[in-house]
């Protein structure tokens, strides 16, 4: 069995690879294979998989990509992820991608779908709408229609018919992926000194660029390997990170938060890998199953409307309590409308139950970690001293 | 060489229609300020995708937070409100309409005309073409704890409105919006009343489109951006579907017919613009905190805006849409989906290209708004495309809607003057 270090080294290499070599290799391994890219936050990867294709999570260019052309397409007050994604496109790093999905996370990603259509009219680009009405016969029905449109589009690209049997198989695989991801999160919350946040992040990030079958093995191997190591337990404060669901912080920022004295016991990075709080049923029509689970068991996050004011923001309080966290760090990408508009409500909800919090902004290429270390370190100390 | 900048005159010249429009908007503020006495219920909603014809069926008075922010911007009150919201933890990065609204609320909710803005009985969250709307009304609901009706209007990502999209909106109207309005207002929904309101809308829309298209004349009798802001006021807000709006657009049309007959240009705050030198298409909202100064940079140079996308945020009527009393709920659904920022970028680009060609414009000017990602994200791409397709020059300036900190007059003026020179050069080169 691979050691923890070997596993995390592999994931680090996948993270660093801005040419998506693993996905290219997967595609080249057999003729007729296709890759479908998707932006954060959620797409039904099951349907892509059932069409015999590989879903590829595109999370921007990080801090290693020099953005030159991408900056010419965006004003200074737009976040960084679309400009680095355009850079990836224009530098042919995504030339092997057969289609792109743009979920309804915000206006910037929404408009990026149109830019893609203008820049690459020959490549499939689809704005993937999800319902904001959660009644089965209203939003649910609309969503089933959207899922079927996607299915038909992918069938045309792949040349493969998406059968109910294939869909059920894919749903089971992704149910397992979500179960294992939650298990990993639980393991980290229970033993944060054995599973540092930076490692957990890399394990999850790998799931964006490799087949789900491989990722399921990878998570299992990591948990098994991490359990066997004896690593020193520190007197850190336990915190939840909130607001980082789209543009990702650089890995050094994640490390810096830990170095400053915080154990991150939960976060909202890459929510797609644990979007549903319960398994998608496999004993009903697969499209209905995906639709109803989306309506009734999705994670709470700012891009989705919360119809019930009484529970608005409560998910964060629950998360803090479930993970025995002592505070929340709001870490949002600069100019991120969903995270920054939501933040005052969440802060108010936390204030009502005396959960301490701090906030800062970052960009995916943030390089100066000292201010963040100081802020997070002071927060960790204040929790230890006064909470 | 540009003309020296004169100081704006203190005497503002206005058409009769402008005075009428102002009286209408002020009248709605009066109505809002008086609900304690009249007992009218209050519905808050947004301009794009507003359901005014439907809301009127429940005898409710509409409050439009964007309009409050605009009116506060024009009166130079919005800056303090925005900073008030920022003091309460709202990020400097996000929409200033939202912050102007939250700041106004925190300062006692006194509206732009000095009258109190009443609390909402219902928030009509028409999620149309702008993600921020969703958060905006969640923020208001968090404070007011009032009923909220959510209407999710699907984005036309593939450039088409499908039957499934229309059915989805209609179902929401039937199962979410109308029941909530009946509950809050105590008034039973009457579809014939809605049909009647929609018939009024269609009449006003015909005249409104005629007004917009009058800019195809040379000289243009209107300015379709700065002047257009006045023209859209009634139809984009609390008056669409009323006799008042029908009457207003009839008056406006007659006024413009007269100007065409006399060969006159648009009326600016300093009188008729006599020398039309540049015909411009604009993309993006204007700046409201220094609107007169901004407008002056155009009319001093002889530049008139002949078509603008901003005057389509509350409906793209000039591309054929009309409210249809024979299909009342479907028509409301289609109206929402047709709003400008609910259209995808290729469609928006095609609209700009059409405007440049149909209005025989000299070029495209984008006023990119710092706090409006719905408009702004992708505008540089649109600019390149329009230049490529039309061969006409384009320019890009950056300001904000209602945050005075983001209006730099010298920078904007410098950019505009260079742009007009570029148009001259192109003309000399025979392009």
């Amino acid at each position: 069995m691979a050691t923890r270090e070997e596993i995390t080294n592999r994931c680090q290499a996948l993270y660093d690879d801005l040419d998506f070599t693993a996905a290219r290799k997967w595609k080249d391994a057999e003729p007729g294979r296709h890759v479908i890219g998707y932006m954060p936050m959620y797409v039904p990867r099951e349907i892509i998989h059932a069409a015999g294709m590989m879903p590829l999570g595109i999370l921007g260019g990080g801090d290693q990509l020099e953005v030159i052309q991408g900056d010419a397409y965006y004003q200074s007050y737009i976040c960084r992820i679309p400009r680095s994604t355009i850079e990836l496109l224009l530098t042919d790093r995504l030339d092997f991608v057969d289609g792109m999905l743009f979920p309804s996370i915000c206006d910037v990603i929404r408009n990026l779908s149109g830019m893609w259509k203008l820049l690459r009219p020959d490549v499939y680009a689809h704005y993937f709408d999800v319902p904001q009405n959660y009644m089965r016969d209203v939003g649910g029905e609309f969503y089933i229609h959207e899922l079927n449109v996607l299915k038909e589009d992918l069938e045309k690209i792949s040349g493969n018919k998406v059968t109910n049997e294939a869909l059920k198989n894919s749903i089971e695989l992704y149910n397992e992926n979500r179960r294992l991801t939650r298990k990993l999160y639980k393991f980290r919350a229970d033993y944060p000194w054995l599973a540092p946040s930076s490692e957990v992040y890399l394990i999850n990030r790998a799931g964006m660029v490799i087949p789900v079958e491989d990722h399921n093995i990878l998570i299992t191997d990591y948990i098994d390997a991490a359990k066997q190591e004896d690593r020193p337990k520190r007197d850190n404060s336990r915190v939840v990170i909130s607001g980082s669901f789209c543009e990702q912080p650089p890995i050094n920022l994640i490390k810096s938060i830990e170095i400053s004295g915080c154990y991150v016991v939960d976060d909202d990075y890459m929510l797609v890998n644990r979007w549903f709080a319960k398994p998608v049923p496999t004993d009903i029509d697969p499209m209905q199953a995906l639709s109803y689970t989306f309506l009734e068991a999705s994670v709470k996050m700012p891009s989705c409307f919360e119809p019930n004011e009484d529970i608005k923001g409560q998910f964060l309080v629950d998360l803090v309590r479930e993970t025995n966290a002592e505070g929340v760090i709001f870490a949002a990408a600069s100019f991120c409308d969903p995270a920054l508009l939501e933040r005052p409500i969440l802060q108010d909800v936390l204030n009502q139950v005396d959960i301490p919090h701090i906030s800062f902004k970052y960009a995916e290429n943030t390089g100066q970690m000292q201010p963040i270390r100081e802020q997070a370190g002071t927060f960790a100390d204040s929790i230890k001293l006064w909470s | 060489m540009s003309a020296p900048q004169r100081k704006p005159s203190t005497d503002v010249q206005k058409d009769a229609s402008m005075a009428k429009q102002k009286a209408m908007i002020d009248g709605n503020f009066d109505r809002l300020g008086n609900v304690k006495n009249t007992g009218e219920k209050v519905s808050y909603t947004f301009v794009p995708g507003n359901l005014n014809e439907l809301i009127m069926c429940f005898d409710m008075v509409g409050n439009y937070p964007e309009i409050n922010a605009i009116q506060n911007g024009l009166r130079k009150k919005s800056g303090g409100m925005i900073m008030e919201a920022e003091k309460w933890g709202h990020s400097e990065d996000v929409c200033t309409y939202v912050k102007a609204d939250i700041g106004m609320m925190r300062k006692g909710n006194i509206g732009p005309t000095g009258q109190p803005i009443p609390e909402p009985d219902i928030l009509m969250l028409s999620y149309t073409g702008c993600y921020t709307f969703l958060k905006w009304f969640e923020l208001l609901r968090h404070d007011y704890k009032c009923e909220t009706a959510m209407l999710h209007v699907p984005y036309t990502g593939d450039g088409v409105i499908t039957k499934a999209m229309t059915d989805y909106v209609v179902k929401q109207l039937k199962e979410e919006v109308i029941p909530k309005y009946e509950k809050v207002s105590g008034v039973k929904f009457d579809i014939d009343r809605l049909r009647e309101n929609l018939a009024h809308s269609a009449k006003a829309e015909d005249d409104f489109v005629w007004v917009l298209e009058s800019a195809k004349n040379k000289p243009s009798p209107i300015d379709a951006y700065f002047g257009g802001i006045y023209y859209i006021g009634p139809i984009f807000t609390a008056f669409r579907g009323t006799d008042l709006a029908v009457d207003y657009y009839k008056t406006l049309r007659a006024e413009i017919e007269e100007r065409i007959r006399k060969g006159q240009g648009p009326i600016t705050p300093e009188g008729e613009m006599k020398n039309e030198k540049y015909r411009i298409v604009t993309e993006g909202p204007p700046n409201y905190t220094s609107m007169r100064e901004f407008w002056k940079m155009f009319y001093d140079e002889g530049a008139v805006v002949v078509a603008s996308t901003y005057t389509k945020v509350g409906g793209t009527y000039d591309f054929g849409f009309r409210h249809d009393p024979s299909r009342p709920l479907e028509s409301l659904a289609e109206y929402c989906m047709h709003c400008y920022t609910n259209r995808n970028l290729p469609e928006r680009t095609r609209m700009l290209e059409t405007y440049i060609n149909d209005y025989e414009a000299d070029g495209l000017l984008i006023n990119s708004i710092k706090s409006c990602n719905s408009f702004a994200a992708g505008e540089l791409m649109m600019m390149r495309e329009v230049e490529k397709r039309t061969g006409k020059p384009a320019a890009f300036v950056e300001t904000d809607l209602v945050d005075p900190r983001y209006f730099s007059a010298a920078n904007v003026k410098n950019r505009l003057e260079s742009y007009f020179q570029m148009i001259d050069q192109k003309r000399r080169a025979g392009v």
Side-chain angles (χ1 to χ4, degrees):
Chain A
M1 195 181 88
T3 65
R4 178 194 57 77
E5 195 176 1
E6 285 166 344
I7 296 167
T8 49
N9 284 348
R10 179 189 168 203
C11 294
Q12 179 75 50
L14 288 166
Y15 172 82
D16 290 336
D17 180 11
L18 292 172
D19 290 310
F20 306 99
T21 309
R24 286 174 187 271
K25 278 186 181 166
W26 179 88
K27 184 176 174 176
D28 293 342
E30 280 181 32
R33 281 187 167 179
H34 297 83
V35 173
I36 299 293
Y38 63 92
M39 301 293 293
M41 53 176 193
Y42 169 76
V43 295
R45 297 187 293 179
E46 292 87 342
I47 299 177
I48 303 170
H49 184 270
M53 305 160 110
M54 181 176 150
L56 177 72
I58 306 293
L59 297 166
D63 59 354
Q64 295 304 307
L65 182 72
E66 190 181 5
V67 173
I68 300 167
Q69 298 180 70
D71 272 344
Y73 285 84
Y74 285 104
Q75 302 88 319
S76 56
Y77 44 78
I78 306 277
C79 55
R80 176 150 161 124
I81 185 170
R83 60 188 79 225
S84 63
T85 304
I86 289 285
E87 188 75 21
L88 291 172
L89 173 71
L90 296 178
T91 52
D92 294 335
R93 288 176 166 96
L94 296 173
D95 58 0
F96 68 106
V97 170
D98 302 289
M100 274 294 292
L101 298 177
F102 300 85
S104 57
I105 191 162
C106 72
D107 294 335
V108 172
I109 299 299
R110 183 197 72 183
N111 287 6
L112 183 59
S113 70
M115 292 179 67
W116 210 277
K117 282 176 190 285
L118 289 167
L119 284 164
R120 292 285 185 273
D122 51 326
V123 178
Y124 175 73
H126 181 62
Y127 172 74
F128 183 72
D129 216 348
V130 294
Q132 301 285 355
N133 174 294
Y134 306 124
M135 289 187 261
R136 283 189 177 196
D137 66 329
V138 184
E141 202 170 296
F142 169 70
Y143 192 44
I144 288 171
H145 179 269
E146 292 300 294
L147 293 172
N148 278 312
V149 167
L150 178 65
K151 183 184 85 143
E152 286 162 21
D153 289 350
L154 296 180
E155 283 175 341
K156 278 181 208 153
I157 296 170
S158 68
N160 298 327
K161 188 84 188 150
V162 176
T163 63
N164 277 0
E165 196 187 346
L167 261 175
K168 283 184 182 179
N169 175 52
S170 301
I171 287 171
E172 278 170 3
L173 271 168
Y174 279 96
N175 275 344
E176 179 65 0
N177 190 251
R178 286 183 283 266
R179 186 189 72 77
L180 287 168
T181 305
R182 288 186 184 279
K183 185 179 172 187
L184 176 59
Y185 268 65
K186 176 80 169 60
F187 176 65
R188 179 182 61 172
D190 291 344
Y191 309 101
W193 61 96
L194 296 183
S197 198
S198 52
E199 290 183 8
V200 171
Y201 179 83
L202 289 172
I203 300 295
N204 285 327
R205 185 75 187 251
M208 303 293 109
V209 296
I210 62 173
V212 63
E213 295 87 346
D214 293 353
H215 192 234
N216 285 348
I217 296 167
L218 184 75
I219 302 173
T220 307
D221 287 352
Y222 174 79
I223 295 172
D224 289 347
K227 269 182 188 168
Q228 288 173 23
E229 277 197 47
D230 188 18
R231 301 169 92 176
K233 183 179 175 183
R234 300 182 195 284
D235 187 26
N236 283 358
S237 296
R238 297 168 64 88
V239 301
V240 169
I241 302 286
S242 176
S244 308
F245 42 82
C246 184
E247 180 174 323
Q248 299 292 286
I251 192 78
N252 281 339
L253 192 151
I254 296 170
K255 285 179 184 168
S256 292
I257 291 172
E258 287 194 315
I259 291 167
S260 68
C262 297
Y263 277 139
V264 177
V265 291
D266 214 306
D267 60 60
D268 55 6
Y269 308 134
M270 293 166 286
L271 286 171
V272 66
N273 62 15
R274 54 199 187 286
W275 189 268
F276 298 135
K278 62 179 189 185
V280 180
T282 51
D283 55 352
I284 60 171
D285 173 76
M287 293 307 191
Q288 276 189 349
L290 285 168
S291 172
Y292 297 162
T293 312
F294 182 88
L295 299 181
E296 292 153 15
S298 287
V299 293
K300 302 285 184 187
M301 60 88 67
S303 297
C304 299
F305 177 62
E306 171 53 69
N308 183 357
E309 170 60 21
D310 293 342
I311 59 163
K312 178 72 191 173
Q314 185 60 35
F315 76 95
L316 193 53
V317 175
D318 294 344
L319 195 58
V320 166
R321 289 180 176 153
E322 281 161 18
T323 56
N324 291 318
E326 297 161 289
V328 173
I329 294 180
F330 290 100
S334 293
F335 304 106
C336 174
D337 276 345
L340 294 170
L341 284 161
E342 176 99 332
R343 196 178 65 189
I345 299 178
L346 297 180
Q347 288 174 330
D348 189 43
V349 170
L350 294 183
N351 288 342
Q352 286 171 28
V353 290
D354 292 327
I355 294 173
H357 53 85
I358 57 164
S359 61
F360 57 75
K361 292 186 292 184
Y362 64 84
E364 63 180 11
N365 63 338
T366 293
Q368 289 293 326
M369 297 304 160
Q370 188 59 24
I372 285 165
R373 270 205 289 273
E374 283 171 8
Q375 199 179 347
T378 306
F379 184 53
D381 290 348
S382 73
I383 286 171
K384 287 292 170 197
L385 289 169
W386 294 298
S387 263
Chain B
M1 189 71 183
S2 65
Q5 177 90 348
R6 287 172 282 130
K7 280 192 178 170
S9 157
T10 48
D11 299 325
V12 177
Q13 294 200 25
K14 287 184 175 170
D15 289 332
S17 63
M18 284 173 85
K20 196 179 182 93
Q21 186 259 23
K22 186 176 183 308
M24 288 166 79
I25 303 287
D26 286 353
N28 199 58
F29 281 118
D30 288 344
R31 203 174 149 197
L32 283 166
N34 208 25
V35 294
K36 272 194 179 161
N37 300 322
T38 61
E40 282 187 300
K41 296 278 175 65
V42 179
S43 166
Y44 283 24
T45 196
F46 300 109
V47 167
N50 80 64
L51 304 170
N52 200 51
E53 298 90 343
L54 183 67
I55 293 168
M56 287 196 303
C57 293
F58 301 98
D59 298 325
M60 296 182 87
V61 53
N63 177 44
Y64 291 78
E66 294 145 297
I67 302 300
N68 299 344
I70 288 169
Q71 293 291 336
N72 281 322
L74 289 167
R75 290 164 169 83
K76 307 212 182 283
K77 294 177 178 175
S78 54
M81 293 168 177
I82 290 164
M83 285 194 276
E84 180 72 16
E86 288 174 357
K87 270 197 278 182
W88 285 83
H90 292 266
S91 171
E92 64 273 24
D93 287 0
V94 301
C95 173
T96 50
Y97 269 172
V98 178
K99 288 186 286 187
D101 190 36
I102 302 266
M104 184 179 80
M105 184 169 72
R106 298 277 187 226
K107 282 171 169 261
N109 230 8
I110 301 301
T113 57
Q115 303 193 69
I117 299 290
E119 292 193 4
D121 294 290
I122 186 167
L123 296 167
M124 176 64 242
L125 201 179
S126 180
Y127 175 36
T128 305
C130 170
Y131 165 80
T132 296
F133 288 164
L134 196 153
K135 292 290 111 182
W136 190 343
F137 272 11
E138 278 191 342
L139 284 159
L140 292 194
R141 184 186 64 182
H142 190 65
D143 273 6
Y144 290 124
K145 309 290 182 202
C146 62
E147 187 69 82
T148 304
M150 166 63 157
L151 181 71
H152 173 205
V153 176
Y155 180 67
T156 59
D158 290 331
V160 290
I161 294 172
T162 64
K163 185 175 178 302
M165 291 157 80
T166 305
D167 290 348
Y168 174 43
V169 179
V170 168
K171 267 193 175 178
Q172 291 177 80
L173 291 171
K174 284 181 181 168
E175 296 190 27
E176 163 80 4
V177 177
I178 292 172
K180 283 190 171 165
Y181 269 89
E182 284 183 327
K183 188 177 128 199
V184 170
S185 68
V187 176
K188 186 92 186 123
F189 174 59
D190 176 357
I191 198 158
D192 289 329
R193 197 171 164 191
L194 176 62
R195 287 181 205 278
E196 199 177 312
N197 295 340
L198 292 171
H200 284 137
S201 296
K203 265 190 213 168
E205 287 156 6
D206 280 343
D207 281 335
F208 175 56
V209 170
W210 185 92
V211 167
L212 293 177
E213 293 187 338
S214 71
K216 288 177 181 169
N217 286 280
K218 289 185 180 177
S220 170
I222 63 164
D223 184 287
Y225 189 43
F226 299 105
I229 284 156
Y230 294 92
Y231 306 152
I232 61 178
I235 207 160
F236 280 10
T237 63
F239 300 95
R240 206 184 60 225
T242 65
D243 279 332
L244 275 174
V246 174
D247 187 46
Y248 166 77
Y249 287 101
K250 203 185 287 177
T251 306
L252 178 63
R253 179 174 174 159
E255 218 169 67
I256 291 165
E257 279 171 340
E258 180 68 4
R259 286 219 288 273
I260 293 171
R261 199 180 59 73
K262 291 178 178 167
Q264 291 178 329
I267 300 296
T268 74
E270 295 180 53
E272 184 198 336
M273 199 188 96
K274 294 212 162 110
N275 180 20
E276 178 184 292
K277 218 169 144 193
Y278 309 105
R279 294 169 66 83
I280 306 296
V281 170
T282 58
E283 149 72 16
N287 164 271
Y288 282 102
T289 52
S290 301
M291 196 172 100
R292 202 169 152 202
E293 195 177 359
F294 193 19
W295 190 355
K296 187 172 168 56
M297 292 176 195
F298 283 71
Y299 62 72
D300 274 355
E301 298 285 346
V304 61
V305 177
V306 289
S308 69
T309 54
Y310 182 62
T311 51
K312 317 297 155 39
V313 288
T316 48
Y317 302 107
D318 56 340
F319 282 81
F321 174 79
R322 293 289 181 279
H323 283 92
D324 180 358
S326 70
R327 304 167 56 248
L329 296 181
E330 291 79 3
S331 180
L332 284 174
E334 286 162 8
Y335 156 73
C336 292
M337 287 186 279
H338 273 293
C339 288
Y340 179 69
T341 49
N342 203 54
R343 290 176 169 238
N344 73 1
L345 248 59
E347 283 298 301
R348 284 172 56 184
T349 306
R350 192 179 59 81
M351 278 176 71
L352 286 169
E353 181 190 0
T354 305
Y355 287 152
I356 299 258
N357 293 329
D358 290 0
Y359 288 77
E360 296 182 61
D362 295 301
L364 168 69
L365 176 78
I366 295 179
N367 182 35
S368 187
I369 292 297
K370 181 249 174 194
S371 63
C372 184
N373 286 342
S374 179
F375 260 104
E379 280 179 331
L380 284 159
M381 170 92 223
M382 291 164 69
M383 184 174 81
R384 288 170 185 222
E385 275 295 307
V386 172
E387 274 189 317
K388 192 169 76 185
R389 293 181 196 178
T390 64
K392 301 288 183 186
F396 202 85
V397 295
E398 296 181 16
T399 69
D400 190 59
L401 292 159
V402 290
D403 191 339
R405 295 171 297 187
Y406 293 98
F407 186 82
S408 169
N411 284 340
V412 173
K413 189 168 191 301
N414 191 24
R415 188 73 65 91
L416 285 176
E417 285 173 0
S418 303
Y419 178 51
F420 297 138
Q421 284 172 18
M422 193 190 339
I423 291 173
D424 286 337
Q425 279 177 343
K426 284 246 181 191
R427 277 183 184 156
R428 281 196 293 273
V431 180

